[in-house]
Amino acid sequence: MKRILILMAMFLLCAAAVSAAICTETDNGRDYSDKGSAKYAITEKYDICVISPQADVRQDSSQYLKEYYCKEDEMKYEIIDCVREGFETCEFGECVGGSAGADSNYTGPSIVIPKCGNQVVDEGEDCDPMNKICFDDDGNIGLCDENCQCAIKIKRGEDEEEPEENITEEPEEEEVEEVEEEPEEEVIEEEPEEEEKKSL
């Protein structure tokens, strides 16, 4: 009986842990002027400055901020252009300076820079992933390039030839005289007679 109670208590504790938020963050959402972090289960990611939206390389100071946040109990991130948001630059994981820097809780409109290669067609992308066949709105066929744009390779109707309107007369067939062939005579060859074998 004691074992059953212990097992039930452990089950209830596990159920409570599972129902708790899996994703948590320190800066209460997307706060670009505050270096924060987001934690999903045991994985924690800190806001960092990156060299460019396409190259996810960490820098102490740059123009772009990689902001981690939680949404629908999942860890997500977006690359923010601090200058476009009214800041001067990104330093050590937060946007600083400029007119927006005066408000320490600035969370103005974000510009989500698409992440080409994440196998999701984000805003600003025609296709994703790279090097896959894609189609435009006109039905043309292309190949997804390194910027996740559909580079058209075959235009619709390019290979189709339109039928000619002028109908040309077909040449008349030449008359061929029929010649009767004479049947070939069959030649029968006689087999040479076998010589009688002499007995010893």
Side-chain angles (χ1 to χ4, degrees), residues 1-8:
M1 182 70 169
K2 201 174 193 180
R3 283 188 176 182
I4 293 174
L5 288 175
I6 292 173
L7 287 174
M8 287 180 67

Side-chain angles (χ1 to χ4, degrees), residues 93 118 154:
N118 64 354
I154 301 173

Side-chain angles (χ1 to χ4, degrees), residues 57-88:
V57 178
R58 183 182 185 152
Q59 295 282 300
D60 288 339
S61 180
S62 78
Q63 182 177 343
Y64 302 98
L65 168 69
K66 185 172 186 179
E67 173 80 13
Y68 287 93
Y69 62 96
C70 295
K71 183 176 182 182
E72 298 173 0
D73 219 19
E74 291 184 11
M75 185 189 309
K76 300 193 179 256
Y77 71 88
E78 62 183 340
I79 308 287
I80 302 301
D81 185 337
C82 290
V83 174
R84 284 189 182 170
E85 295 295 327
F87 296 94
E88 287 180 8

